[in-house]
Amino acid sequence: MATKVLMPQLGESVTEGTITRWLVNVGDMVSKYDPLAEVSTDKVNAEVPSTVAGRVTEIVVPEGETVAVGALILYIEEQGGSAVAESEPSTPAEAPAAAEQSAAPITAPTPSAAATAGAVTEAQQKPAGQKQRYSPAVMRLAQEHGIDLSRVQGTGMEGRVTRKDVQAIIDAGGQQPVASVPEASITAAAVTPAEAVQSAASARADHLSQAEPTAIKAQPTYDIPMATGDQVIPVTPIRRTIASRLVQSKQEAPHAWTMVEVDVTKLVAFRNQVKDEFKRKEGVSLTFLPFFIKAVVEALKEYPIINSTWAGDKIIVKKDINISIAVATEDALFVPVIKQADQKSILGIAKSIEELASKTRAGKLTMDDMTGGTFTVNNTGSFGSVLSMPIINSPQAAILSVESIVKRPVVIDDMIAIRSMVNLCLSLDHRILDGLVCGRFLHSVKQKLEAIGPDTKLY
């Protein structure tokens, strides 16, 4: 009797994934948490880890096929036949039982265990009935260092355990052993991280069909006449996601637009003066974008309502300032996030931009790289654009486009001068923001950019 491996839930809003490449073949022996396949989700590329140790007996889903979360993708015959029945993931029909197991109460830890850095019980960190999910990176790191994820206090959204949480425990010397607990508690705690992922996938599959969900819902078709020589390009999951989210943003958020022009002559002179030395000392190219992001971040501190999101009956003003940046590849657009950009210098922002751009081009962005953005800066000027109306990166409240810097004549003190000018275009969610606050915000960004000069600090 072989164990079923299901398409796991690899992200909060991920509903399907495409098997881009199998990393194992039928007959291969795998250990628990070994990567089985590369998957292209609607946000990033990810790896599917093995939930058990054993031999691969059957690959169900071929490469290139897209299946829903919870779909059966692989069979593994576990090592030691007697344990197979107990460790086999739940089928969709069995999901409620798995949910009950995860929701079972756990006895509180002893005082010594509670004092361990980052270690708490699931009962303390999650509401009853809510199952924890872990990313492959978190599970792999935990396995390498013997970390029990059920005892880790998550600092991510809704208590999610992040890679940083696990790394903090490793840096602190690892987890301390806990005292023995009653048998009933051990049964609940024995659900491993990987099994939790499987259980979550199974629970989700319960909402899909009683049959094994091996196919996603059909996409609408269009009766488009074709002529000889027309080329048909299949829509990739990433492109489909981009399309659906942009349509969603346009349908849900009433967009308004505004623009200011900024004289960045002094910024251009300063950057050209220091860029070579900066590159030599730091190993990072000094582009104009870090200066624009720095000015935006400082203006967001002055007008925090811009850094907010619409939540139905309320508006949530975000404390952290996490700047999403648009990074284009040949066939897709990704929006990774510079976390806590308000705590970074020009150098720190430049390094973050280069790191995220490199990971994007290499296809190595993680889910953590793509989530948590609170405001987006879109560098359309790199394409030569001088005016644009960007679509808001929902559920954020606004997006700013930095257009191309061009020299043109302007009137200063009733005289005509040649200056380096740039347009800053802001799209705003009119449910949250009005012209007054957005105008003040843009004016603040403009003032900060026009004040850049030899005294501007890069570090």
Side-chain angles (χ1 to χ4, degrees):
M1 183 176 181
T3 295
K4 298 176 181 177
V5 176
L6 311 180
M7 176 67 79
Q9 182 79 50
L10 294 171
E12 193 64 35
S13 59
V14 174
T15 60
E16 63 188 39
T18 300
I19 302 290
T20 53
R21 185 163 70 102
W22 280 108
L23 303 176
V24 295
N25 297 306
V26 173
D28 287 353
M29 296 299 296
V30 296
S31 300
K32 199 170 185 178
Y33 304 133
D34 279 355
L36 299 175
E38 293 179 350
V39 177
S40 174
T41 72
D42 61 351
K43 287 185 177 179
V44 296
N45 295 329
E47 290 180 349
V48 175
S50 176
T51 56
V52 296
R55 184 174 62 87
V56 177
T57 57
E58 182 181 354
I59 293 175
V60 178
V61 179
E63 291 183 355
E65 185 168 318
T66 300
V67 295
V69 168
L72 173 64
I73 60 174
L74 182 81
Y75 284 103
I76 294 178
E77 183 178 350
E78 286 192 71
Q79 294 173 331
S82 59
V84 170
E86 295 180 359
S87 60
E88 183 180 1
S90 304
T91 63
E94 296 167 339
E100 291 176 4
Q101 184 183 31
S102 295
I106 301 175
T107 301
T110 64
S112 60
T116 303
V120 296
T121 66
E122 286 183 90
Q124 287 175 304
Q125 63 173 310
K126 294 183 296 183
Q130 180 177 339
K131 294 175 291 183
Q132 182 63 281
R133 294 192 292 261
Y134 307 101
S135 71
V138 167
M139 289 191 291
R140 188 178 303 113
L141 190 62
Q143 183 198 26
E144 290 172 353
H145 296 274
I147 302 297
D148 181 359
L149 289 173
S150 67
R151 297 168 51 207
V152 177
Q153 171 69 66
T155 61
M157 183 177 295
E158 299 180 352
R160 180 181 296 278
V161 176
T162 68
R163 185 184 177 88
K164 290 182 179 178
D165 298 328
V166 180
Q167 188 62 51
I169 294 175
I170 296 169
D171 294 341
Q175 289 175 314
Q176 299 298 318
V178 297
S180 60
V181 295
E183 184 178 355
S185 299
I186 293 176
T187 302
V191 179
T192 66
E195 288 166 341
V197 172
Q198 288 277 19
S199 180
S202 298
R204 186 176 183 84
D206 185 49
H207 298 286
L208 299 178
S209 171
Q210 292 300 314
E212 290 178 345
T214 56
I216 61 173
K217 62 181 181 181
Q219 298 295 316
T221 58
Y222 299 88
D223 185 17
I224 306 295
M226 294 185 60
T228 302
D230 288 353
Q231 182 183 7
V232 176
I233 301 175
V235 176
T236 63
I238 290 290
R239 177 53 56 187
R240 187 185 306 128
T241 299
I242 292 172
S244 63
R245 292 190 175 171
L246 292 181
V247 169
Q248 180 186 10
S249 179
K250 290 288 287 185
Q251 289 178 338
E252 294 182 356
H255 284 55
W257 295 269
T258 185
M259 185 196 81
V260 296
E261 61 176 8
V262 184
D263 184 346
V264 290
T265 304
K266 291 192 295 183
L267 165 60
V268 171
F270 175 63
R271 179 258 183 181
N272 290 342
Q273 177 185 349
V274 301
K275 66 176 184 179
D276 292 338
E277 182 181 0
F278 187 89
K279 175 70 173 180
R280 188 166 50 253
K281 289 175 59 179
E282 309 299 340
V284 178
S285 298
L286 183 62
T287 66
F288 291 111
L289 187 56
F291 293 96
F292 286 103
I293 291 179
K294 185 67 174 177
V296 166
V297 167
E298 292 178 353
L300 287 173
K301 291 181 181 177
E302 299 173 8
Y303 301 97
I305 188 64
I306 307 289
N307 194 54
S308 66
T309 186
W310 179 264
D313 59 345
K314 55 184 175 290
I315 295 170
I316 300 174
V317 179
K318 309 297 288 186
K319 178 182 178 183
D320 291 336
I321 298 179
N322 301 329
I323 301 298
S324 304
I325 57 173
V327 181
T329 64
E330 290 296 328
D331 56 357
L333 177 67
F334 296 86
V335 193
V337 179
I338 301 174
K339 301 290 177 60
Q340 296 182 318
D342 54 319
Q343 299 180 18
K344 295 180 182 292
S345 62
I346 296 288
L347 169 63
I349 295 173
K351 284 186 173 180
S352 295
I353 293 172
E354 184 159 299
E355 178 187 356
L356 292 173
S358 297
K359 293 176 75 173
T360 302
R361 288 191 291 269
K364 295 183 177 179
L365 286 174
T366 65
M367 194 65 67
D368 187 58
D369 292 327
M370 297 286 287
T371 56
T374 58
F375 184 90
T376 298
V377 174
N378 189 23
N379 188 24
T380 47
S382 62
F383 308 131
S385 168
V386 294
L387 184 67
S388 65
M389 293 189 294
I391 298 176
I392 297 167
N393 184 15
S394 181
Q396 298 172 17
I399 177 174
L400 181 82
S401 275
V402 178
E403 304 298 330
S404 182
I405 298 174
V406 296
K407 285 188 174 182
R408 61 182 178 84
V410 297
V411 177
I412 300 177
D413 297 331
D414 293 332
M415 295 182 288
I416 298 176
I418 303 299
R419 308 292 291 179
S420 293
M421 305 296 292
V422 62
N423 294 328
L424 303 181
C425 303
L426 183 75
S427 297
L428 55 118
D429 185 341
H430 221 333
R431 296 173 299 181
I432 305 174
L433 305 173
D434 299 315
L436 177 63
V437 68
C438 290
R440 289 173 175 170
F441 168 75
L442 284 177
H443 182 68
S444 176
V445 176
K446 172 185 171 75
Q447 284 186 319
K448 298 179 192 312
L449 290 171
E450 292 183 343
I452 291 176
D455 296 331
T456 298
K457 295 181 179 178
L458 299 177
Y459 302 95

